[in-house]
Amino acid sequence: MTKADLVERIAERAKLSKKDSEIVVNTVFQSIIEALTKGDKVELRGFGSFRARDRQSRVGRNPKTGESVEVPSKKVPFFKPGKDLKKLVNGG
Amino acid sequence: MTKVEIANRVAKETGLTKTKASEAVESLLTIIKEALKNEERLEFRGFGVFRVRKRKARTGRNPRTGEEAPISEGRTIKFKPGKEFKEAIINQGE
């Protein structure tokens, strides 16, 4: 499924114009990204939660030269599926 | 941030009523859930990819008692953030 498919299905299901449906999709994704950027987390009941997780710095290697390089610590987006969603994919 | 806050923002951006906007957000989540139930792969440019991964059955151990316990095969959801999403988070002010 792509974003275009999602837009179409929401339009159908929620009886919206495609234009509004597209705004819905973009606003939801953009809100999640912005919340995490601000250090906030997003909890969507029945679906799951998004938060930024810390990844520690590590010593990596340049695959071409074999040289060691320090990869700095950073934050990465993380999605944790909710109970309902976990059950659903396990046929529950 | 919760579903209500996201729905309010959707209402503002689209001009839909709050009720209609929260219905739309709920539809979005339901459609994604149903697709994952069918083990579909979802790829949303700029946001990320959701897919279902199978986990093999294995023998686990009760950490408290040390007893072995079988863990049955299962499915789990993997989210891989897209480039724009990752970059937005990395560049956040610390």
Side-chain angles (χ1 to χ4, degrees):
Chain A
M1 187 191 282
T2 63
K3 202 148 99 174
D5 298 325
L6 181 63
V7 167
E8 219 160 286
R9 288 197 215 180
I10 293 170
E12 225 172 87
R13 191 176 191 120
K15 297 187 179 64
L16 293 177
S17 68
K18 258 201 187 164
K19 190 175 148 256
D20 278 347
S21 178
E22 196 171 356
I23 299 173
V24 171
V25 172
N26 288 332
T27 305
V28 171
F29 290 160
Q30 201 51 46
S31 302
I32 295 171
I33 293 175
E34 279 180 26
L36 266 58
T37 306
K38 281 187 248 163
D40 199 1
K41 68 175 180 186
V42 182
E43 271 185 58
L44 305 168
R45 274 290 153 84
F47 188 73
S49 59
F50 291 89
R51 64 188 168 85
R53 230 190 200 180
D54 290 312
R55 175 148 314 160
Q56 277 185 337
S57 67
R58 60 185 174 86
V59 179
R61 219 172 259 281
N62 181 329
K64 208 145 62 179
T65 64
E67 245 173 288
S68 290
V69 279
E70 166 98 3
V71 181
S73 66
K74 60 182 175 188
K75 289 195 188 308
V76 289
F78 178 74
F79 172 67
K80 187 179 173 199
K83 233 195 260 171
D84 290 358
L85 183 52
K86 272 198 232 169
K87 249 196 233 160
L88 192 74
V89 296
N90 277 294
Chain B
M1 181 180 261
T2 62
K3 248 191 270 192
V4 177
E5 290 169 77
I6 293 178
N8 286 347
R9 196 163 149 185
V10 167
K12 217 165 112 188
E13 299 283 339
T14 55
L16 295 168
T17 62
K18 280 188 184 177
T19 313
K20 197 77 183 131
S22 79
E23 255 177 53
V25 173
E26 212 56 70
S27 295
L28 179 148
L29 297 175
T30 305
I31 290 161
I32 294 177
K33 280 203 280 193
E34 282 174 359
L36 288 170
K37 190 185 174 185
N38 298 329
E39 299 194 23
E40 221 183 300
R41 181 177 189 272
L42 298 102
E43 186 169 351
F44 305 127
R45 272 291 150 84
F47 188 70
V49 178
F50 291 96
R51 64 187 173 84
V52 176
R53 218 160 58 171
K54 285 188 186 118
R55 262 196 315 220
K56 277 189 208 149
R58 63 189 171 89
T59 307
R61 206 175 272 278
N62 182 326
R64 205 160 49 183
T65 63
E67 248 172 273
E68 281 193 358
I71 296 172
S72 50
E73 186 190 79
R75 282 172 175 72
T76 172
I77 291 144
K78 187 81 192 137
F79 172 69
K80 189 173 179 247
K83 203 174 156 213
E84 285 170 45
F85 196 173
K86 275 201 278 193
E87 279 170 5
I89 305 305
I90 292 169
N91 297 333
Q92 97 186 70
E94 297 213 36

